[in-house]
């Protein structure tokens, strides 16, 4: 068995990532319609029936927005905190709800899933690491600020997908209203390029083989700026940094 992962798309218009260990495949978040999710899964060689579960991070539309309809249509269990579960629509089948504790590792078939709480303006937000027992993928988007707990959870991973939401200068000089600028840049908002650089520089990286920038703002960031920030943090070539973009995410990678 080997861990591999792909993104179906990442950004404020919708996020979804798939992690696979052998025949176990789990989707993390789903911010797309049923048809869009199905099409994006087909692009990476998968069908909805291949998914053993959906792990949700928090209730914002770009993460939870597509989950209920898709899970209900294909009878896929949904893993989420009690705070996030409050945002499932009325009538969502209780039989598909798997409440998780934000500090307790759980298993979905052959995949170990380790949630951890993050500062973000949501009810009970978490992010996740996934492991097959040998290799570990850490994913963090929607991170208002860096905590020691986040650093501990992401240290030692073979693969990392890290939010590079905005460039602070582009955000502050850009078209967003002042209130939204303050929300995005605040301690319960989103991680900017400099924050992502700082986070990666704080991590234990001796096993790191994949570093991917995700959740880039289309107005307030560029792939080049995100690449530069993460490459500086990891002391590597900019070409080595992957980008999870809104339209295509990124192709399968063997962790
Ligand atoms: Zn988001
Ligand atoms: Zn969010």
């Amino acid at each position: 068995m080997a861990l591999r992962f792909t993104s179906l798309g990442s950004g404020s218009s919708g996020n979804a990532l798939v992690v696979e260990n052998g025949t176990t495949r789990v989707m993390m978040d789903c911010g797309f319609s049923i048809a869009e999710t199905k099409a994006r899964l087909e692009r990476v060689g998968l069908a909805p029936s291949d998914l053993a579960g959906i792990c949700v991070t928090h209730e914002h539309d770009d993460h939870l927005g597509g989950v209920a309809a898709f899970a209900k249509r294909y009878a896929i269990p949904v893993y989420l905190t009690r705070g996030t579960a409050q945002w499932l629509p009325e009538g969502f089948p209780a039989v598909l709800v798997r409440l998780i504790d934000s500090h307790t590792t759980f298993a979905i078939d052959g995949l170990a899933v380790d949630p951890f709480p993050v500062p973000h303006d949501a009810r009970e937000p978490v992010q996740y690491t996934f492991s097959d027992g040998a290799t570990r993928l850490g994913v963090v988007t929607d991170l208002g600020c860096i905590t020691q707990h986040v650093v501990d959870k992401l240290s030692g991973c073979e693969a990392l997908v890290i939010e590079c939401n905005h460039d602070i200068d582009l955000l502050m000089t850009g078209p967003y209203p002042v209130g939204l600028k303050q929300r995005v840049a605040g301690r319960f908002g989103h991680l900017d390029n400099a924050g992502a650089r700082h986070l990666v520089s704080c991590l234990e990286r001796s096993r790191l083989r994949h570093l991917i920038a995700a959740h880039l703002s289309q107005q307030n960031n560029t792939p080049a700026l995100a690449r530069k920030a993460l490459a500086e943090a990891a002391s590597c070539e900019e070409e080595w940094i992957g980008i999870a973009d809104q339209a295509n995410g990124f192709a399968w990678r063997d962790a």
Side-chain angles (χ1 to χ4, degrees), residues 163-168 191-198 216 220-222 225-226 229-230:
E163 168 163 61
C164 290
N165 183 266
H166 57 278
D167 172 89
I168 193 70
L191 204 62
D192 73 343
N193 293 336
R197 181 174 56 213
H198 181 58
L216 275 68
N220 304 315
N221 208 355
T222 66
L225 287 171
L230 292 190

Side-chain angles (χ1 to χ4, degrees), residues 11-12 15 58 60 62-63 120 141-142 163 190 215:
S12 57
N15 294 271
H58 65 296
H60 292 160
D62 52 323
H63 301 267
H120 187 55
T141 64
D142 302 71
E163 168 163 61
H190 289 276
H215 215 302

Side-chain angles (χ1 to χ4, degrees), residues 3-87:
L3 200 67
R4 62 173 194 154
F5 60 102
T6 181
S7 167
L8 305 183
S10 181
S12 57
S13 303
N15 294 271
L17 181 137
V18 179
V19 189
E20 176 187 282
N21 177 28
T23 56
T24 304
R25 297 175 192 92
V26 169
M27 186 154 69
M28 176 174 162
D29 288 332
C30 184
F32 303 109
S33 69
I34 293 178
E36 185 70 30
T37 306
K38 201 161 165 277
R40 286 173 185 252
L41 282 169
E42 275 165 18
R43 223 159 55 189
V44 299
L46 296 178
S49 58
D50 291 323
L51 298 175
I54 304 174
C55 297
V56 183
T57 58
H58 65 296
E59 69 268 26
H60 292 160
D61 218 37
D62 52 323
H63 301 267
L64 181 67
V67 170
F70 191 81
K72 191 174 169 184
R73 167 80 62 91
Y74 298 106
I76 301 168
V78 174
Y79 296 77
L80 70 189
T81 62
R82 190 171 292 276
T84 306
Q86 292 176 357
W87 298 85

Side-chain angles (χ1 to χ4, degrees), residues 95-114:
V95 68
L96 295 177
V97 177
R98 307 278 185 276
L99 291 179
I100 62 166
D101 178 273
S102 57
H103 288 280
T104 305
T105 304
F106 58 95
I108 303 178
D109 297 336
L111 194 67
V113 185
D114 193 14

